[in-house]
């Protein structure tokens, strides 16, 4: 008789890597997942992207961490079990889970497919689930999630490079759609060429939009134009370049999480243009009102997307061959990756090969 695997012997047991304190250092961690409920999908995690949020949370830099903390909300894998009332998925399907695993299903936001703005939304890790247990993320060998919050990954998308789309991808796709910056021939600026910025360029170009990358680093010009396909490049510290572009853009997607002036970005907008912030600086930005009044310009914000829109985004990515540019790493490299991420030493997203390198 064949010897049973650890998973077969312990059906609700899970294995991952967790931070135990504000040092943010991750180490192996055994814990329990809930049994598969009637509307749950259980899947084997194959890859998980490393989002900058994971670094902030592991170190409790936003003050909301609960330890032990298993990060990860760019999770993809293969279904191993479905509950009796699951309708959309079957064993063997390729699936993903992003930043959300629960919401109230009854508020205005939920009723409008905007679970990401539900006041009672449940994040994929370090929050309380409906049953009072703590949620654990995708730096682990398995996930159990209500099918409503599970995304189907199309067969033509490589799982490793699709994983970051579940956070970075939807974070930029949603504002392009909602603020109507998705019309062919429009001119949109993308501030910052990192994990969010590089996929923003790809999505905007696939929508037929003219894209200008705006960066503090002249070194990124060749990458932006030749590799990512941007139409033009502005060095934000070059006053002559910025002045020449004043009033030329229908919208700007600002992905930068560091403190930075937004007046120069507002100046780039046409009359009735829109500046949308998707980065999250730790301190308030200074908002000059006069330039807004004089041009009927809008400053807005956006965070991820609802489940319907997230599936739409993944399907759009599959149709247009959009993936993240990634560096695949082993599980035991994660602390080094976090150090490199803190220095922005990644092009453009780390993805952990959970399936092949998570050792029990």
């Amino acid at each position: 008789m064949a010897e049973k695997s650890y998973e077969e012997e312990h059906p609700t047991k899970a294995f991952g890597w967790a931070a135990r304190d504000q040092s943010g250092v991750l180490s192996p961690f055994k814990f329990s997942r809930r049994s598969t409920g009637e509307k749950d999908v259980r899947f084997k995690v194959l890859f998980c992207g490393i989002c900058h949020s994971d670094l902030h949370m592991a170190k409790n830099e936003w003050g909301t961490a609960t330890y032990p903390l298993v990060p990860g909300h760019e999770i993809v894998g293969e279904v191993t079990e479905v509950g009796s009332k699951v309708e959309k998925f079957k064993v063997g399907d390729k699936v993903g889970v992003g930043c959300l695993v629960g919401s109230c299903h009854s508020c205005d936001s939920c009723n409008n497919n905007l679970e990401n703005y539900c006041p009672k939304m449940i994040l994929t890790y370090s929050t309380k689930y409906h049953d009072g247990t703590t949620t654990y993320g995708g730096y682990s060998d398995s996930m159990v999630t209500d099918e409503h919050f599970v995304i189907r990954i199309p067969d033509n998308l490589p799982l490793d490079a699709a994983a970051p789309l579940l956070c970075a991808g939807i974070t930029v796709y949603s504002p392009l759609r909602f603020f109507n910056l998705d019309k062919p021939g429009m001119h949109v600026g993308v501030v910052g060429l990192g994990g969010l910025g590089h996929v923003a360029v790809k999505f905007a170009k696939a929508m037929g939009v003219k894209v200008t990358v705006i960066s503090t680093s002249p070194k990124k010009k060749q990458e932006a134009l030749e590799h990512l396909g941007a139409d033009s490049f502005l060095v934000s510290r070059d006053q002559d370049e910025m002045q020449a572009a004043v009033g030329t853009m229908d919208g700007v997607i600002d992905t930068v999480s560091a403190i930075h002036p937004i007046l120069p970005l507002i100046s780039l907008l046409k009359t009735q243009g829109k500046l949308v912030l998707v980065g999250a600086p730790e301190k308030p930005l200074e908002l000059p009102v006069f330039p807004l009044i004089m041009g009927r310009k809008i400053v807005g914000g956006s965070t991820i997307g609802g489940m319907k829109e997230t599936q739409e985004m993944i399907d759009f990515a599959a149709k247009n061959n959009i993936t993240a540019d990634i560096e695949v790493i082993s599980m035991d490299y994660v602390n080094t990756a976090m150090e490199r991420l803190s220095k922005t030493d990644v092009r453009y997203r780390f993805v952990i090969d959970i399936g092949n390198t998570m050792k029990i």
Side-chain angles (χ1 to χ4, degrees):
M1 185 174 176
E3 187 176 336
K4 289 187 177 181
S5 68
Y6 179 85
E7 290 83 358
E8 290 170 325
E9 290 280 4
H10 306 85
T12 64
K13 297 298 182 183
F15 188 75
W17 280 50
R20 268 45 175 228
D21 54 43
Q22 294 187 3
S23 70
V25 175
L26 296 158
S27 58
F29 175 59
K30 286 186 178 181
F31 60 102
S32 293
R33 293 282 186 198
R34 69 176 181 271
S35 299
T36 308
E38 60 184 17
K39 292 186 178 181
D40 284 338
V41 173
R42 179 182 293 272
F43 66 94
K44 178 183 179 182
V45 177
L46 297 177
F47 296 97
C48 186
I50 298 181
C51 177
H52 215 284
S53 302
D54 298 343
L55 180 60
H56 288 302
M57 287 294 291
K59 295 188 173 185
N60 198 27
E61 291 176 347
W62 293 336
T64 59
T66 301
Y67 298 106
L69 181 147
V70 178
H73 58 207
E74 299 178 345
I75 315 161
V76 294
E78 183 174 321
V79 176
T80 56
E81 185 183 10
V82 295
S84 59
K85 293 187 178 179
V86 168
E87 299 177 353
K88 296 188 292 183
F89 302 99
K90 65 182 186 304
V91 172
D93 284 350
K94 300 298 190 293
V95 296
V97 168
C99 303
L100 301 179
V101 293
S103 69
C104 77
H105 298 290
S106 60
C107 68
D108 285 346
S109 292
C110 287
N111 289 335
N112 286 289
N113 298 306
L114 295 170
E115 299 91 342
N116 52 313
Y117 297 118
C118 173
K120 296 180 180 178
M121 69 173 176
I122 300 172
L123 299 176
T124 303
Y125 64 88
S126 199
T127 51
K128 293 295 182 185
Y129 197 63
H130 298 298
D131 60 6
T133 59
T134 298
T135 57
Y136 293 118
Y139 295 13
S140 60
D141 58 3
S142 65
M143 289 288 294
V144 181
T145 309
D146 184 305
E147 74 165 330
H148 184 77
F149 296 92
V150 178
I151 298 297
R152 180 180 301 281
I153 308 295
D155 290 337
N156 67 311
L157 275 182
L159 288 180
D160 54 359
L165 299 180
L166 294 167
C167 174
I170 187 60
T171 295
V172 296
Y173 178 92
S174 184
L176 285 167
R177 292 297 196 201
F178 177 78
F179 290 99
N180 297 311
L181 299 175
D182 56 352
K183 307 296 183 286
M186 279 187 157
H187 184 190
V188 171
V190 174
V191 188
L193 197 61
L196 295 176
H198 90 285
V199 287
V201 173
K202 293 184 181 188
F203 276 115
K205 287 299 296 178
M207 294 169 182
V209 171
K210 177 185 176 183
V211 178
T212 295
V213 171
I214 304 158
S215 173
T216 58
S217 174
K219 296 177 182 178
K220 293 187 176 181
K221 182 174 183 177
Q222 183 176 0
E223 171 81 5
L225 300 179
E226 297 180 11
H227 175 64
L228 296 173
D231 298 282
S232 54
F233 186 90
L234 289 178
V235 178
S236 56
R237 290 173 175 156
D238 186 320
Q239 292 188 354
D240 291 338
E241 284 190 17
M242 293 292 283
Q243 183 60 38
V246 164
T248 63
M249 299 181 189
D250 297 284
V252 171
I253 304 292
D254 185 353
T255 72
V256 175
S257 291
I259 300 296
H260 60 290
I262 60 173
L263 176 58
L265 304 178
I266 294 171
S267 300
L268 297 175
L269 297 172
K270 297 176 182 177
T271 299
Q272 301 185 126
K274 302 159 186 173
L275 169 61
V276 186
L277 309 174
V278 297
E282 293 177 14
K283 295 181 181 178
L285 301 178
E286 185 175 321
L287 178 64
V289 175
F290 200 68
L292 300 180
I293 296 172
M294 297 309 294
R296 196 153 75 176
K297 299 174 182 179
I298 292 172
V299 177
S302 184
T303 185
I304 55 170
M307 302 317 301
K308 181 180 179 181
E309 188 175 45
T310 302
Q311 186 67 64
E312 175 191 300
M313 176 276 303
I314 282 286
D315 294 341
F316 182 88
K319 182 179 178 181
N320 292 277
N321 296 312
I322 296 171
T323 54
D325 290 10
I326 61 172
E327 179 178 335
V328 178
I329 64 168
S330 62
M331 190 69 248
D332 60 10
Y333 187 78
V334 67
N335 289 308
T336 303
M338 288 289 198
E339 288 177 23
R340 286 179 53 193
L341 181 59
S342 70
K343 301 170 185 173
T344 63
D345 176 23
V346 56
R347 182 178 165 276
Y348 286 96
R349 207 67 153 189
F350 287 118
V351 173
I352 308 168
D353 183 352
I354 301 282
N356 289 316
T357 67
M358 177 75 79
K359 297 179 178 67
I360 297 175

